[in-house]
Amino acid sequence: MAALPYHKVVASKAFTILVGPHKKTCTIHADLLAAMSGPLNALVNVHMREATEAMAEWPDVDEETFARFGEFAYTGTYGALDEHPATGPSTGDEHIARDHVPTKLRKLKRKKMMRQGLLDPSISADPSHSGDVTNDDGTSTSLSAPIDESAEGAKAPSFTDGILSHARVYVFADCYLVRDLAKLSLKRLHEALETVPKGKEFGGAIAQLADYTFANTVAGEGHQDPLREQLCLYIADNIQTIWPSSDFQSLLEGCGELSKDIIKLLIPRLSPRETVTRWNGWD
């Protein structure tokens, strides 16, 4: 993040961003936003409509992620999810509806065009998620049904919400090349994972995190995406605890990239003696 003197920040005009599907009006100083990265500078100073109107729409960015981005822009850091007051009891076994996000191929294409200045970053792609997941208790949860946050007795943020929130910040930062924010979100995610209770909901929570990660990131050319790499290492380290989750097993069946990355990390951990013992066990 480029250092910008505060007298320049406060003297700059306000830039309005309509955040999320409900287009919540949020504002940020234009010069500060432009200093965050090349794509954001282009949004503020290059793209004709946004620069003229000092306004952009980010329908694919949730309000919580934008709040963390705004906090980081002004302070260089952002707070944890549990700093926000809870509104009700949490059971810890909730399953979260998947965000409406572009497919991996479309996201890669959009990212390349955006970096080249050929695509307006505020243009949204069509959502592509549907279907159900099977919970550990045999019930089914829709991935496409919206969450009614106004319903009476709504559940408070769980540890699943916390780890997913850092992944969402990373995806946003990676898309707009805010590298320091991406690094911070990985650090926050690591810290959050260290405190996750490894009870019966643990495997399902990691499955949701892995599902979101591999749906919203792309493999780099000759290198692994940092969020994918960090998550796969964590899964490999905790595979015996995560494996019993039916959600995690189903995800491995449907996501070849995830399965391949995890197996690649697990193979070196098998000693030759263990391999021979298992092979001889077939006789």
Side-chain angles (χ1 to χ4, degrees), residues 187-205:
K187 180 176 182 292
R188 288 281 189 268
L189 177 60
H190 173 75
E191 293 169 348
L193 288 172
E194 290 298 308
T195 64
V196 167
K198 297 180 181 179
K200 63 179 182 179
E201 295 86 19
F202 175 62

Side-chain angles (χ1 to χ4, degrees), residues 73-262:
Y74 285 97
T75 69
T77 187
Y78 71 85
L81 184 71
D82 59 9
E83 294 177 357
H84 301 279
T87 57
S90 174
T91 63
D93 59 354
E94 49 268 36
H95 286 255
I96 300 174
R98 196 181 308 192
D99 287 4
H100 293 300
V101 290
T103 62
K104 284 182 259 186
L105 182 60
R106 182 173 296 181
K107 183 177 185 298
L108 175 60
K109 182 178 180 181
R110 280 168 53 81
K111 184 184 293 187
K112 289 181 64 176
M113 293 179 67
M114 187 183 70
R115 290 179 180 179
Q116 295 169 359
L118 302 176
L119 180 66
D120 182 343
S122 68
I123 297 177
S124 172
D126 294 331
S128 60
H129 294 295
S130 62
D132 298 337
V133 294
T134 301
N135 302 332
D136 291 341
D137 59 3
T139 61
S140 177
T141 300
S142 172
L143 291 175
S144 56
I147 298 177
D148 184 3
E149 297 179 350
S150 63
E152 184 178 355
K155 293 175 180 177
S158 67
F159 67 80
T160 309
D161 298 300
I163 58 178
L164 278 172
S165 72
H166 299 305
R168 293 189 186 103
V169 171
Y170 172 86
V171 168
F172 170 87
D174 181 57
C175 181
Y176 288 101
L177 300 183
V178 188
R179 302 193 187 282
D180 288 342
L181 178 57
K183 293 178 182 178
L184 177 60
S185 67
L186 292 176
K187 180 176 182 292
R188 288 281 189 268
L189 177 60
H190 173 75
E191 293 169 348
L193 288 172
E194 290 298 308
T195 64
V196 167
K198 297 180 181 179
K200 63 179 182 179
E201 295 86 19
F202 175 62
I206 300 303
Q208 290 181 63
L209 176 61
D211 188 22
Y212 177 83
T213 296
F214 276 77
N216 292 280
T217 58
V218 292
E221 298 180 3
H223 62 88
Q224 179 63 288
D225 173 83
L227 177 58
R228 289 190 178 194
E229 181 178 20
Q230 177 173 313
L231 178 58
C232 287
L233 284 169
Y234 181 83
I235 292 174
D237 288 340
N238 296 274
I239 191 64
Q240 290 183 323
T241 308
I242 298 171
W243 175 251
S245 168
S246 59
D247 282 352
F248 181 72
Q249 294 181 24
S250 297
L251 180 60
L252 288 182
E253 291 177 0
C255 184
E257 287 182 297
L258 174 63
S259 302
K260 179 181 176 181
D261 288 346
I262 293 176

